[in-house]
Amino acid sequence: MNILNEVSITFPSKSTNEGYARAAVSAFAAQLDPTLEEIGDIKTAVSEGVTNCIVHAYPDSVGKIYIRLRIFEGNILEIVIRDKGLGIPDITAAKTPMFTTGGADRSGMGFTIMESFTDNLKVRSAPGKGTTVTMRKRISMRSGGKVL
Amino acid sequence: MNITSKRTDGELSLFLSGELDHHAARCAIPEISKIIDSELPLKLIFDFSDISFMDSSGIALVIGGYKKATAVGGEFSVINVPKQAYKVFLAAGICKIINITTRDSALSKI
């Protein structure tokens, strides 16, 4: 598939940057003319992915979070969120609803939400080798008010 | 995120406003715990009218409120939830366990 546009951002894993990440991805996605609901889905998925980096990848330090955004032909937005943190020992367990290693203040629903709000989710990770989460979402094509 | 509270007899309403993400929940969860522990309401209500965004951190916050309220035999509900936040609650399957209603009452009948 042809890449029509691409943007990369890097920022430290501080929780104060969660809002920035949501806004940055929304701004890039705006060129696809998404609906309010689609923007909400995208912001939520990004928020979950970035929070995972902050809470789990770099629990006791501040590391770098890398986001790469691409637009493919067919109105497809691809979001890659990558870290060089701890890595996930058991990806299947991590993706199980309500499973968390983050204590009582975490719901364990991050991956479930990412999967529900995007079309496609891939997770690559290994202990000590960081984690890469790739999500794709096809944005509805709208022309003259009609949804195609 | 901002939190204001209103106490009417045995009923405590907490009004949350702004974005409810992990960054906001870090401070909000302990602050809300303190308020509930000191008020010990018979009925606890979280009003989400002014929540502009919520991710799964909001689920943890709501579950915390539910546990505290029911631990002392009280009632708990989340009201005036906007569309985006309600979609997150639905995806988590939590609407079957906790009383969560939207601003638009027609949506809550789904």
Side-chain angles (χ1 to χ4, degrees), chain A residues 14-19 22 37 40-41 43-44 47-48 51 54-55 104-110 112-113 116-117 137, chain B residues 19-26 29-30 52-57 59-61 63 67 83-84 87-89 91-93:
Chain A
K14 297 181 177 184
S15 63
T16 189
N17 288 331
E18 288 157 13
R22 292 192 295 269
E37 182 171 357
D41 291 351
K43 282 170 69 175
T44 313
S47 207
E48 301 295 346
T51 300
I54 292 166
V55 173
D105 286 351
R106 304 305 304 158
S107 68
M109 297 304 291
T112 304
I113 301 292
S116 304
F117 285 33
K137 189 175 179 72
Chain B
E19 299 195 318
L20 178 46
D21 58 3
H22 159 251
H23 180 68
R26 281 173 79 180
I29 288 175
S52 53
F53 171 83
M54 187 193 87
D55 65 12
S56 67
S57 310
I59 296 170
L61 184 142
I63 288 175
K67 282 183 175 166
K83 268 178 110 168
Q84 182 272 332
K87 197 170 170 180
V88 175
F89 284 131

Side-chain angles (χ1 to χ4, degrees), chain A residues 21-88:
Chain A
R22 292 192 295 269
V25 179
S26 299
F28 181 75
Q31 62 197 275
L32 293 172
D33 191 26
T35 60
L36 274 177
E37 182 171 357
E38 284 167 335
I39 276 290
D41 291 351
I42 291 164
K43 282 170 69 175
T44 313
V46 168
S47 207
E48 301 295 346
V50 167
T51 300
N52 277 351
C53 298
I54 292 166
V55 173
H56 300 292
Y58 306 112
D60 307 310
S61 61
V62 174
K64 290 209 172 123
I65 299 174
Y66 308 84
I67 297 183
R68 188 193 70 201
L69 306 169
R70 282 178 169 174
I71 289 172
F72 292 101
E73 268 171 359
N75 261 32
I76 296 169
L77 173 69
E78 180 187 82
I79 303 164
V80 176
I81 301 174
R82 195 166 62 88
D83 65 73
K84 295 184 178 178
L86 289 185
I88 304 170

Side-chain angles (χ1 to χ4, degrees), chain B residues 3-30:
Chain B
I3 304 168
T4 53
S5 62
K6 191 173 95 176
R7 181 75 195 244
T8 333
D9 295 327
E11 185 176 297
L12 174 68
S13 290
L14 293 181
F15 300 86
L16 286 71
S17 65
E19 299 195 318
L20 178 46
D21 58 3
H22 159 251
H23 180 68
R26 281 173 79 180
C27 300
I29 288 175

Side-chain angles (χ1 to χ4, degrees), chain B residues 7 9 15 23 26 30 39 51 77 86 88 91 94 102-103:
Chain B
R7 181 75 195 244
D9 295 327
F15 300 86
H23 180 68
R26 281 173 79 180
E39 296 284 341
I51 289 292
S77 57
Y86 192 73
V88 175
I94 206 185
T102 59
R103 265 201 290 249

